[in-house]
Amino acid sequence: MIVSEIKNIFHLELDALYPKEEVATFFYLLLEKHLRLERFALVMQPQLAISKEEEQPFFDALAQLKLEIPIQYILGEAHFMDANLKVNKNVLIPRSETEELVTWILEDVQNLNLGHINILDIGTGSGCIAIALAKALPYAKVTALDISPEALGLAQENAILNTVEIEFVQGDVLDESLRLDANFDIIVSNPPYVRELEKKEIKNNVKKHEPSLALFVPDNNALIFYKAIAQFSDTHLVRNGKIYAELNQYLAEETKDLFEDENFCDVSLKKDIFENTRMLRGIKKEQ
C-alpha cells in the first residue's frame, strides 16, 4: 500500500474525533516510530509503498485511536524536556505544564550555584520530574516516591534509559506514618488535583485511559494531597527549603492559603504559557 493512502485513511477515520492537525501528528509520529521516516519523506517520495507487514502497525494504531487511547500509550513512549520516557496506562502522560514547573526549579537552583542538594519528587509516576532534575543537576541526590509499584517499576526503567541515578521509594504521602531517612532541600510534586465535578472538562482520551488514581480528588476534599505534602514537609524539608507544586488553576489561591497556614512563607503562584495559574513555590519558615 502507498503510505500517503494510509494517511488519507487516518483522516477519513479520525477527523471527526480529533482536530485535523492532531490526526496528521499521530500519523507522522507513527511514520517515524515504525518506518524511521520524517514527514518530508512523503514529499520526496509521494508514491512510497510499504509491505503488508509494515502497514499493520499503522492500522493497529488506528483502531486504538478510534477508541481514544492516547498516542503516547500506543507508541509506548513520550518526551519530557530532554528525556525519552517509556509510558503506559499505569502513569500519567508527561505534559508541557510540568516541564515549566521543572524549569522554574532549575532556574532557582542554578542561580544559587549549590554544590549539593537533596530533592524529593512526590508522586513520581513515569519519573519525568525526577529524571529531568537528575539530568540537569548531576550533583543532586534525587529521591522519587510513589504509591504504585507499577509506576515505580516503569520509572526505574526510565532512569536506566536516561542514565541517571535516582532512589525510588514506594509509599503513600497520605499515610501520616510515612518517614524517609533524609531531609530535603526541595520537595516537588504534581499530585492528583482534578475534582470529580471537573470531569466533564476532561477529554475522553485522558478520562478513559490515564490512571484515575493520579488525576482525581473528592470535591469535598480537593486539597487533600497538598495538605499531606505540607505536613510531610514539616519533618522532611530543611529550614528555608522550598516546596514546588503543580496545581489546579481553579484552586490556586486556596492552595496558596493552605501552604501559608502550614508554616510556609513567600508563597508565590506562577502562570503557564497558556496564562493559567498552574504552579506554586513556597519557602519553609525558620522556627
Side-chain angles (χ1 to χ4, degrees), residues 122 173-175 223-234 258:
I122 295 178
V173 74
L174 298 182
D175 180 355
L223 302 182
I224 180 173
F225 283 94
Y226 299 97
K227 180 79 170 176
I229 291 165
Q231 292 177 344
F232 178 84
S233 299
D234 190 52
L258 183 152

Side-chain angles (χ1 to χ4, degrees), residues 92 98 101 121-123 129 188-193 214 244-247:
L92 288 181
T98 310
L101 179 66
D121 174 25
I122 295 178
I129 292 175
V188 56
S189 185
N190 178 19
Y193 56 69
Y244 293 83
E246 191 169 320
L247 46 79

Side-chain angles (χ1 to χ4, degrees), residues 73-126:
Y73 289 162
I74 296 170
L75 296 169
E77 62 187 26
H79 301 288
F80 184 84
M81 302 189 76
D82 64 345
N84 294 317
L85 304 171
K86 295 180 180 181
V87 293
N88 60 30
K89 65 181 182 178
N90 295 307
V91 299
L92 288 181
I93 295 164
R95 287 168 168 80
S96 60
E97 303 95 294
T98 310
E99 290 188 351
E100 293 183 67
L101 179 66
V102 172
T103 299
W104 195 12
I105 297 171
L106 293 177
E107 288 171 351
D108 286 353
V109 170
Q110 289 168 346
N111 286 339
L112 294 174
N113 196 26
L114 298 173
H116 177 75
I117 190 169
N118 263 9
I119 301 174
L120 173 65
D121 174 25
I122 295 178
T124 197
S126 66

